[in-house]
Amino acid sequence: MARIPATDDSPERRRKAIRYAVPVLAAGVAAATIGLVPALASAGSPNLPDITAKKLIEKIAVSDTQTISGSVKFSTDFGLPAIASAFGSSLGGSGTGGSASANPNDQLTKLLTGTHTLQVAADGPDRQKVSIVESAAEYSVIHNGNDVWAYDSGSNQAYHSTAPQGAKSGAGTDHTSSTLTPQQAADQALKAVDSTTSVTVDGTAKVAGRDAYQLLIKPTQADTTVGSIRIAVDSATGVPLKFTLTPKGSAKPAVDIGFTKVDFGKPAASTFTFTPPKGAKVTTEKSGADAAKKDGTKAQDNAKSALDGLNVIGTGWDSIAELKTPKGSLTGQQSNTKGSTFDTQSLISSFGKTVKGSFGSGTFVSTRVVNALITDSGKVYVGAVSQDALVKAASK
Amino acid sequence: MSQAETLPTPAPRPGVLWQLGLFRSEFITVMRRWRTLALLAVLTGVPVLIGIAVKIDTNGGGGRAGGGGSGGDGGGPAFIAQITNNGLFLVFTGLAATLPFFLPMAIGVIAGDSIAGEANSGTLRYLLVAPAGRTRLLLAKYASVLAFCVVATLVVAASGLIVGAILFPLGDVTLLSGTTISFTEGLWRALLIAATVALSLTGIAALGLFISTLTNSGIAAMATTVGLLITVQIVDQIPQLHAIQPYLFPHYWLSFADLLRDPVYWDELRRNFGLQGLYVAVFGSAAWARFTTRDITA
């Protein structure tokens, strides 16, 4: 092998070098694979025939996909202060008490911060299932016919509510799926389509291994904090596969919900059957209609009944909700929530900043999308608009 | 230490059978050590302790499922809330409790000792007198460490199953996703989980083997491997270091729980296997490079 008889240990050293090159090579190949494979997987923008925005929206509307299952990556980054998520869960915690409750309200507020993986399955309007994948545990909401079950494997607790006859795709389950699947999120965004918005088809993308068109929705109004909404629509079935909301002046989405794996086959029937395991603590919600409603709107209802008026200022994306609250009602309302009689006012000011204007002074609470101005005179202005727009509205 | 003197005629290319013989003698040597038996005894004890603790807690707490502190994620090892109602979950809890430290520590001790221990007691050069070749010897050593991974995992699982069956009822298994499967299928999943856990340990086994080739002191190799394990486990817990965490070998260890979902969530399991494979490739070949080129003086 060693043709050059240089130093005595030359072949020996060379052998050594070659052998040591093996682990280095292995590490290098691995590093390259880790670096390149995700890049290659997401880089593909498939060639699809051109389509107009109108046709694409139609495609979504006529899509009759009834069966779907897959994994969804659910990331939200609203820039909420950490305390707000605790606040949020206590808002939702109605009645059952304790943070380990299997009540969907308690659990779904988790989705407001961070990145979660969901496993979803649906088989027509009667059977849906959504599971939040957690470390060595899972939280599932299962809708099967008239039954809505929720099961938290971490604490071995279950929650059961019965939807009334006839209200099969009732508000309760609809709510859960609407926060969770890209379809519903897309539907809501499309409702906002009017003269204030530009809707275009912006190329194609690969989502969950499927070819998709990208629908780009851009507010044309000046004051809104919403930069753009992007919906990836499966080219074959018209099912929205990915929903991204990006605030103005930022590259990082505030909401990013998308399938990472999708299958349009019929999920196994056993997916939707649930029998509470022996020894699981089951909370039952009897009153059907109420239970269905409760899922989605109880928190808001509470808030609304405590406020004596809702007024919408502006149009389209620039809409600002003006709420008049009797002084102190914000604090009073919160004490309903079991075990958490904190002073909301001081909580709000703890993560807001003081703003002064011709309306007097108030607290400005900002997130990456929705901003709120709570004036000292008891008015609340909320909207996906800039601080200036809120101050302007308050000063009117 | 190996009974390498049982080797047949010194052929230039010994066959597979011979290789198996080498592995068998290595493995028997490992299993015969008091140290190994003590480690296995500790591993057997963990599910026993958990089982008894849960039993006492349940009786004392008026039969309340899960006991007082099991409010979700922070309340002890995974699945502990389900043990009272299904003893099979003791297998999963036992594995979840031993996987972060007990199991890899045992592997670290065995792997760290594999080469350095021989060097330490001066038997390594005798092993190498046999025409096995260093590569073959290293392979046999690594194979016996891997076999120990399987044995250790099965010991934990079996102990969990036996204690669970004695102390708690057995029956249909409710998966994390709420789907119910039969007990037999639950047993299959338990076996699959044990296999996954054993596979999860191949990375640290390779790491320990590599460290073992670096030194002539068995104690030093064991201490380094176990110390490294503890360091990596701590680093894996620091949120600020999240950028490097996906590349740490224990990062996806608990993904074995994903086998209890319906449908099984494969993403992290696959990442775990990939990561273990990577560690085996890099440190296994590094161990080979070191062991086949170094001067054996002891």
Side-chain angles (χ1 to χ4, degrees):
Chain A
M1 273 286 229
R3 277 212 245 142
I4 312 140
T7 47
D8 295 339
D9 58 347
S10 175
E12 186 59 32
R13 288 179 72 169
R14 209 157 115 195
R15 199 170 70 117
K16 215 167 177 168
I18 291 171
R19 300 227 155 158
Y20 274 109
V22 176
V24 174
L25 200 72
V29 167
T33 321
I34 290 166
L36 283 178
V37 168
L40 288 176
S42 61
S45 47
N47 273 327
L48 293 169
D50 284 347
I51 191 168
T52 63
K54 190 164 171 280
K55 274 266 183 315
L56 187 55
I57 291 165
E58 265 177 37
K59 206 179 177 84
I60 300 170
V62 302
S63 169
D64 57 353
T65 304
Q66 295 279 316
T67 56
I68 192 166
S69 61
S71 303
V72 172
K73 198 175 152 209
F74 194 106
S75 318
T76 46
D77 180 14
F78 288 115
L80 289 171
I83 192 169
S85 46
F87 175 66
S89 73
S90 77
L91 244 185
S94 40
T96 38
S99 56
S101 145
N103 188 311
N105 280 335
D106 291 358
Q107 297 282 343
L108 296 177
T109 43
K110 273 194 246 187
L111 297 177
L112 282 179
T113 46
T115 299
H116 299 268
T117 302
L118 310 181
Q119 299 217 87
V120 298
D123 181 8
D126 284 345
R127 280 183 287 280
Q128 293 105 23
K129 176 171 182 173
V130 178
S131 304
I132 307 174
V133 174
E134 292 158 11
S135 171
E138 195 163 317
Y139 177 75
S140 313
V141 180
I142 304 151
H143 170 224
N144 192 349
N146 294 328
D147 289 316
V148 178
W149 282 98
Y151 177 60
D152 182 19
S153 82
S155 57
N156 201 24
Q157 293 191 44
Y159 167 92
H160 184 211
S161 92
T162 324
Q165 211 76 34
K168 10 191 220 177
S169 59
T173 46
D174 240 18
H175 167 70
T176 44
S177 44
S178 80
T179 15
L180 303 171
T181 68
Q183 284 100 311
Q184 303 291 333
D187 274 350
Q188 293 198 347
L190 289 174
K191 268 180 208 144
V193 170
D194 51 23
S195 58
T196 59
T197 314
S198 94
V199 180
T200 50
V201 176
D202 185 43
T204 57
K206 262 232 186 295
V207 179
R210 297 187 65 95
D211 295 347
Y213 290 107
Q214 295 219 73
L215 191 66
L216 179 65
I217 299 164
K218 266 195 150 133
T220 48
Q221 286 167 303
D223 284 338
T224 181
T225 48
V226 176
S228 67
I229 292 172
R230 205 175 267 276
I231 300 166
V233 182
D234 184 35
S235 61
T237 59
V239 172
L241 297 175
K242 196 169 159 69
F243 174 93
T244 317
L245 190 154
T246 314
K248 202 172 265 179
S250 170
K252 208 168 161 277
V255 182
D256 192 355
I257 306 166
F259 279 103
T260 52
K261 211 166 19 182
V262 69
D263 183 359
F264 292 106
K266 193 179 168 78
S270 66
T271 309
F272 305 106
T273 51
F274 177 74
T275 335
K278 269 183 288 169
K281 190 182 149 205
V282 182
T283 317
T284 310
E285 198 78 44
K286 279 232 174 61
S287 49
D290 199 39
K293 219 181 162 190
K294 186 184 149 138
D295 259 9
T297 47
K298 179 144 187 187
Q300 288 98 309
D301 280 356
N302 277 350
K304 268 179 206 151
S305 59
L307 307 164
D308 67 5
L310 171 73
N311 185 18
V312 178
I313 307 167
T315 54
W317 299 92
D318 286 354
S319 306
I320 296 167
E322 181 193 37
L323 313 150
K324 295 191 190 73
T325 81
K327 241 188 171 359
S329 74
L330 278 173
T331 18
Q333 178 224 334
Q334 277 315 308
S335 57
N336 294 341
T337 311
K338 194 179 170 187
S340 53
T341 45
F342 48 76
D343 179 5
T344 314
Q345 208 90 55
S346 68
L347 184 69
I348 289 171
S349 40
S350 74
F351 57 82
K353 59 172 182 176
T354 310
V355 189
K356 287 190 167 55
S358 56
F359 60 88
S361 73
T363 310
F364 176 70
V365 182
S366 81
T367 69
R368 294 186 64 211
V369 180
V370 176
N371 292 329
L373 177 65
I374 301 130
T375 67
D376 291 348
S377 54
K379 284 188 183 174
V380 182
Y381 297 88
V382 186
V385 295
S386 64
Q387 181 185 345
D388 290 348
L390 284 177
V391 171
K392 223 190 305 172
S395 305
K396 261 175 200 160
Chain B
M1 281 270 180
S2 173
Q3 279 92 39
E5 61 272 19
T6 57
L7 64 117
T9 47
R13 278 192 66 84
V16 181
L17 263 179
W18 194 87
Q19 179 74 29
L20 268 177
L22 187 61
F23 160 68
R24 209 182 55 193
S25 76
E26 279 302 328
F27 186 58
I28 290 169
T29 316
V30 166
M31 293 308 289
R32 271 197 191 146
R33 289 208 180 102
W34 279 110
R35 180 192 308 154
T36 313
L37 296 178
L39 285 169
L40 291 177
V42 169
L43 290 172
T44 319
V46 173
V48 177
L49 278 179
I50 296 175
I52 292 171
V54 169
K55 188 77 182 172
I56 292 172
D57 192 39
T58 326
N59 289 344
R64 219 190 117 197
S70 70
D73 307 324
F79 315 116
I80 202 159
Q82 277 101 323
I83 295 177
T84 348
N85 312 302
N86 197 334
L88 187 60
F89 275 93
L90 191 56
V91 176
F92 310 138
T93 310
L95 287 172
T98 49
L99 186 51
F101 287 108
F102 289 104
L103 272 172
M105 215 168 69
I107 308 304
V109 167
I110 302 296
D113 190 51
S114 57
I115 304 285
E118 302 274 7
N120 202 23
S121 53
T123 45
L124 187 56
R125 60 177 128 180
Y126 299 113
L127 267 180
L128 291 174
V129 168
R134 295 185 181 189
T135 308
R136 276 164 191 278
L137 179 65
L138 193 73
L139 274 178
K141 287 279 186 193
Y142 187 55
S144 65
V145 176
L146 290 185
F148 179 76
C149 291
V150 175
V151 169
T153 314
L154 287 179
V155 160
V156 175
S159 158
L161 187 62
I162 293 166
V163 176
I166 294 171
L167 294 180
F168 306 104
L170 294 176
D172 287 357
V173 181
T174 303
L175 297 176
L176 298 184
S177 315
T179 321
T180 307
I181 58 170
S182 68
F183 181 71
T184 326
E185 207 185 320
L187 272 180
W188 274 113
R189 295 235 184 183
L191 199 66
L192 208 59
I193 282 176
T196 307
V197 169
L199 268 173
S200 302
L201 295 168
T202 54
I204 188 164
L207 191 61
L209 189 73
F210 171 59
I211 292 170
S212 191
T213 60
L214 294 178
T215 170
N216 281 340
S217 157
I219 301 292
M222 288 185 231
T224 312
T225 312
V226 174
L228 206 63
L229 163 77
I230 293 169
T231 315
V232 168
Q233 284 283 40
I234 291 170
V235 168
D236 200 30
Q237 300 301 320
I238 301 174
Q240 282 78 9
L241 298 174
H242 63 89
I244 55 161
Q245 283 172 356
Y247 307 104
L248 302 177
F249 60 87
H251 188 68
Y252 296 110
W253 274 356
L254 278 184
S255 66
F256 76 81
D258 291 348
L259 287 168
L260 287 177
R261 302 185 199 282
D262 179 54
V264 173
Y265 181 61
W266 287 103
D267 289 28
E268 296 213 333
L269 283 164
R270 242 182 250 132
R271 258 176 245 155
N272 184 21
F273 295 147
L275 197 62
Q276 302 307 329
L278 175 63
Y279 272 80
V280 171
V282 171
F283 288 102
S285 60
W288 169 77
R290 164 78 187 161
F291 189 59
T292 50
T293 56
R294 84 173 202 187
D295 296 324
I296 306 291
T297 51

